Amino acid sequence: MRTPTANLMLWFLGLLPSAIFLTTSTAIEWSSTAASLNTLGRLTGVAGLSFFLVAAMLSSRVPGFDKLFGGLTKLWFTHHQLAAVSFLLLLMHPLLLAFSGMAVSLDAGISVLFPANNTVPSLVGWLSLIVMMVFLAPSFAFFGEPNYQRWKLLHKLAGVALVLALIHSFMLARQINFAWQYILWTLYTGLALLAMVFRWGFSKRSWFKRHGRLRYQVVGASKPLSNVVELELQSQAQQERLVYEAGQFIYFTPYDNQLTAGYAQEHPYTISSAPEETNLRIAVKDLGDSSRALQSIQIGSQVRVEGPYGAFFPSGDSRESELWIAGGIGITPFLSRARHFAGKASKVDVHCILCVQDEARALYHDELESIADRLPGFVLTLHYFYREGAINTEFLRAHCPDFIERSCYVCGPPAMLGCVQGILRSSGIPKNRIQTEEFNLL
Amino acid sequence: MKKLCFSGFIAFWSSIATMVAIHALAGEELPAAVNDTTYTLEEIAEHASLDDCWMAIEGKVYDFTDYLNRHPAGPGTMISWCGREATEGMRTKGYGPDHSDFAWQQMEEYLIGNLE
């Protein structure tokens, strides 16, 4: 299945219960303003819950599964969008029902929100919505940019909100045709649970000893720059070695009790080694407490590696001409692919543009240059921000005249991604030939 | 997307606060005039059709003739309770869950008296 089809299917799943609701609704339910508001109120509840459940299905990362949806970052973008739609619908749900009550009297409207009798279903609904607000506040940066660990912790409340929402829905019972309602919600909850069971069961153990969670040890560390460390990791068990492709990433958990921060905390890092290398390498830039601490992780310490995730490059060896644009530490996935090509002496047509602030921050410049010297068809261009400002069309045209013909891969900080995507799109390159990878959390 | 969700979050609480405030400011609504008329179950049983539908619910008597066609689940769900003691229908909808507070409040519009 192609990526857009797979993503569309998720939206279809989210919309299906609403479609059933609408086809089974009767004319009486739309016969007056109050009746329509009431129907819309129930519809937003149904739609909100179904989008919530589809988002929950995507909340468990299972190595390999994400490829279907264009990689884990893309999958999580969809998860984020589904959750946002669900949240907005569920906010409208009690308001519309209360407005419909207002048609009878002010008291009746208020009693929809705060009933005096039969309070449990409404209380459970309120609790679910408030828990949802609490766990989504950091995801949607209600109160500034979130702290990664706090965000992860609060996000666990999503399960609580979902269970409460399901209880609320079952207690009120009359949203869709009776049987449909039980079939749909049970099916959707089942799928979400299946994803979680799959994650906690299968991928907790190493999956055919090549995917999932594996035990590694730090056997080397080099510093390509003062604020970047490249860690070399060796598998603890001879037969268990992560199988991955260039451009993929892992979740990395260090167990070095000398670390000043981030002990046993999990963070995603891009793999920098070539897939055929015996040891695994990751490049870590000092961007926060945990990644700063990793700069001086002890050689010999134990780590856990989970993955691989992501689908930045197409599988297998490329026969297309490629344009790579990397910003700073965004060079990592390209480095992995360049090392892979160099190791196999592949026949390639690659133009790699490395965007950095200045000469002192030209990450892996020497190694990439030596690859460019050895590997025909591999061209390296450096772009210095302090000298040339932000990258623009003229720069691309001057250094890579045929860039419009190439498949484009872009990785770097969000501002740079936006800028480069704008240039490429306005030059007439179709969207499906521009592949981006964001390091951003959401 | 983030901005939209934050706006929705603020709009939600503003609307809730506005409704609660209006409700508080409007003060107590006057109780509906007490209707002293009493009816027996036999009298109620004479009104058991779609054109003339009375019910007794929790000791009170209601004339639902004008409401039948407005019921969200259709008049069919109510017809079998016409002319009868219908507390069970109101409390269980025939399969379990109670009607909402809103429905109980709306019902008062159709009150015609008490059960003898």
Side-chain angles (χ1 to χ4, degrees), chain A residues 26 28-29 81 84 87-88 91 94-95 98-99 101-102 104-108 110-118 126 129 133 139-142 145 171 173-174 178, chain B residues 1-6 8-9 11-13 15-16 19-20 22-23 26-27 29 68-75 91 93 95 97-102 105-106 109:
Chain A
T26 57
I28 294 167
E29 293 178 89
Q81 279 184 319
F87 181 57
L88 290 169
L91 285 179
L95 289 180
F99 292 158
M102 295 278 180
V104 171
S105 73
L106 197 53
D107 265 352
I110 288 290
S111 80
V112 174
L113 295 174
F114 313 104
N117 306 306
N118 193 18
W126 268 109
L129 195 58
M133 287 171 188
S139 306
F140 295 123
F142 281 5
E145 283 305 313
M171 287 179 101
R174 195 183 60 85
F178 202 54
Chain B
M1 202 54 119
K2 287 179 184 174
K3 277 182 187 161
L4 192 65
C5 286
F6 187 64
F9 171 70
F12 174 81
W13 287 113
S15 309
I16 296 284
M19 277 192 274
V20 171
I22 293 174
H23 184 249
E29 280 178 26
L68 284 181
N69 282 316
R70 290 173 50 200
H71 191 279
R91 283 291 178 204
K93 294 185 182 179
Y95 59 86
D98 195 355
H99 276 83
S100 62
D101 265 33
F102 169 60
Q105 292 218 13
Q106 203 180 14
E109 281 183 52

Side-chain angles (χ1 to χ4, degrees), chain A residues 200-270:
Chain A
W200 290 110
F202 284 78
S203 48
K204 201 161 187 166
R205 296 176 156 271
S206 46
W207 182 28
F208 301 124
K209 302 186 175 181
R210 297 185 301 148
H211 298 285
R213 290 186 170 175
L214 301 167
R215 286 189 304 132
Y216 271 72
Q217 187 179 26
V218 181
V219 291
S222 61
K223 303 268 311 170
L225 271 187
S226 63
N227 60 350
V228 176
V229 69
E230 187 171 28
L231 300 178
E232 189 175 344
L233 314 170
Q234 191 180 49
S235 172
Q236 292 284 74
Q238 206 62 49
Q239 268 86 48
E240 294 187 10
R241 205 170 67 84
L242 190 78
V243 173
Y244 59 93
E245 287 169 16
Q248 290 196 295
F249 63 94
I250 54 161
Y251 276 83
F252 175 86
T253 317
Y255 295 100
D256 170 6
N257 48 23
Q258 305 288 306
L259 282 176
T260 51
Y263 174 82
Q265 282 179 9
E266 176 188 75
H267 287 273
Y269 293 109
T270 305

Side-chain angles (χ1 to χ4, degrees), chain A residues 49-329:
Chain A
L49 181 60
S50 45
F51 280 113
F52 196 170
L53 281 164
V54 179
M57 290 174 205
L58 305 186
S59 65
S60 305
R61 49 168 206 253
V62 177
F65 178 76
D66 63 313
K67 268 191 157 180
L68 197 63
F69 301 91
L72 195 62
T73 37
K74 298 241 169 10
L75 190 65
W76 273 349
F77 182 67
T78 309
H79 165 82
H80 192 67
Q81 279 184 319
L82 287 163
V85 171
S86 159
F87 181 57
L88 290 169
L89 287 165
L90 292 176
L91 285 179
M92 284 157 72
H93 164 63
L95 289 180
L96 286 166
L97 290 174
F99 292 158
S100 131
M102 295 278 180
V104 171
S105 73
L106 197 53
D107 265 352
I110 288 290
S111 80
V112 174
L113 295 174
F114 313 104
N117 306 306
N118 193 18
T119 50
V120 179
S122 146
L123 210 65
V124 174
W126 268 109
L127 211 59
S128 169
L129 195 58
I130 288 169
V131 172
M132 201 176 183
M133 287 171 188
V134 171
F135 88 79
L136 284 181
S139 306
F140 295 123
F142 281 5
F143 310 107
E145 283 305 313
N147 163 296
Y148 182 68
Q149 293 303 327
R150 195 182 318 138
W151 167 78
K152 272 189 79 167
L153 202 70
L154 276 177
H155 222 69
K156 291 196 164 61
L157 284 174
V160 178
L162 191 54
V163 169
L164 290 171
L166 282 165
I167 295 174
H168 169 77
S169 163
F170 275 109
M171 287 179 101
L172 292 167
R174 195 183 60 85
Q175 309 114 2
I176 325 175
N177 173 297
F178 202 54
W180 269 116
Q181 169 185 316
Y182 281 97
I183 295 169
L184 281 175
W185 294 152
T186 309
L187 194 73
Y188 279 44
T189 311
L191 280 172
L193 280 175
L194 197 72
M196 282 170 210
V197 167
F198 197 80
R199 169 158 174 70
W200 290 110
F202 284 78
S203 48
K204 201 161 187 166
R205 296 176 156 271
S206 46
W207 182 28
F208 301 124
K209 302 186 175 181
R210 297 185 301 148
H211 298 285
R213 290 186 170 175
L214 301 167
R215 286 189 304 132
Y216 271 72
Q217 187 179 26
V218 181
V219 291
S222 61
K223 303 268 311 170
L225 271 187
S226 63
N227 60 350
V228 176
V229 69
E230 187 171 28
L231 300 178
E232 189 175 344
L233 314 170
Q234 191 180 49
S235 172
Q236 292 284 74
Q238 206 62 49
Q239 268 86 48
E240 294 187 10
R241 205 170 67 84
L242 190 78
V243 173
Y244 59 93
E245 287 169 16
Q248 290 196 295
F249 63 94
I250 54 161
Y251 276 83
F252 175 86
T253 317
Y255 295 100
D256 170 6
N257 48 23
Q258 305 288 306
L259 282 176
T260 51
Y263 174 82
Q265 282 179 9
E266 176 188 75
H267 287 273
Y269 293 109
T270 305
I271 302 168
S272 58
S273 49
E276 56 277 4
E277 288 179 37
T278 317
N279 287 345
L280 185 70
R281 285 189 280 174
I282 56 170
V284 180
K285 188 180 179 185
D286 168 2
L287 287 168
D289 293 343
S290 301
S291 51
R292 188 167 313 128
L294 282 184
Q295 304 295 315
S296 48
I297 191 172
Q298 286 191 86
I299 305 295
S301 61
Q302 308 287 315
V303 299
R304 192 182 72 200
V305 162
E306 185 193 305
Y309 296 105
F312 188 35
F313 298 110
S315 291
D317 283 337
S318 165
R319 301 189 189 283
E320 288 181 323
S321 55
E322 297 178 4
L323 170 66
W324 299 354
I325 304 180
I329 189 70

Side-chain angles (χ1 to χ4, degrees), chain A residues 269-414:
Chain A
Y269 293 109
T270 305
I271 302 168
S272 58
S273 49
E276 56 277 4
E277 288 179 37
T278 317
N279 287 345
L280 185 70
R281 285 189 280 174
I282 56 170
V284 180
K285 188 180 179 185
D286 168 2
L287 287 168
D289 293 343
S290 301
S291 51
R292 188 167 313 128
L294 282 184
Q295 304 295 315
S296 48
I297 191 172
Q298 286 191 86
I299 305 295
S301 61
Q302 308 287 315
V303 299
R304 192 182 72 200
V305 162
E306 185 193 305
Y309 296 105
F312 188 35
F313 298 110
S315 291
D317 283 337
S318 165
R319 301 189 189 283
E320 288 181 323
S321 55
E322 297 178 4
L323 170 66
W324 299 354
I325 304 180
I329 189 70
I331 190 64
T332 321
F334 299 114
L335 186 64
S336 171
R337 192 160 167 90
R339 283 169 170 172
H340 170 64
F341 286 157
K344 291 178 67 180
S346 308
K347 202 168 164 291
V348 295
D349 182 5
V350 171
H351 196 122
C352 173
I353 299 176
L354 175 57
C355 305
V356 289
Q357 176 64 28
D358 52 48
E359 287 83 348
R361 276 175 255 189
L363 200 54
Y364 294 108
H365 180 195
D366 295 342
E367 184 174 348
L368 287 167
E369 206 157 60
S370 100
I371 290 175
D373 290 341
R374 293 202 310 274
L375 196 65
F378 187 93
V379 182
L380 177 71
T381 303
L382 265 289
H383 174 276
Y384 298 107
F385 189 83
Y386 85 99
R387 220 159 58 192
E388 284 139 325
I391 192 166
N392 54 31
T393 320
E394 285 67 44
F395 184 91
L396 284 181
R397 213 173 278 141
H399 292 89
C400 180
D402 65 343
F403 78 95
I404 298 173
E405 317 297 325
R406 291 171 180 262
S407 293
C408 305
Y409 299 88
V410 194
C411 184

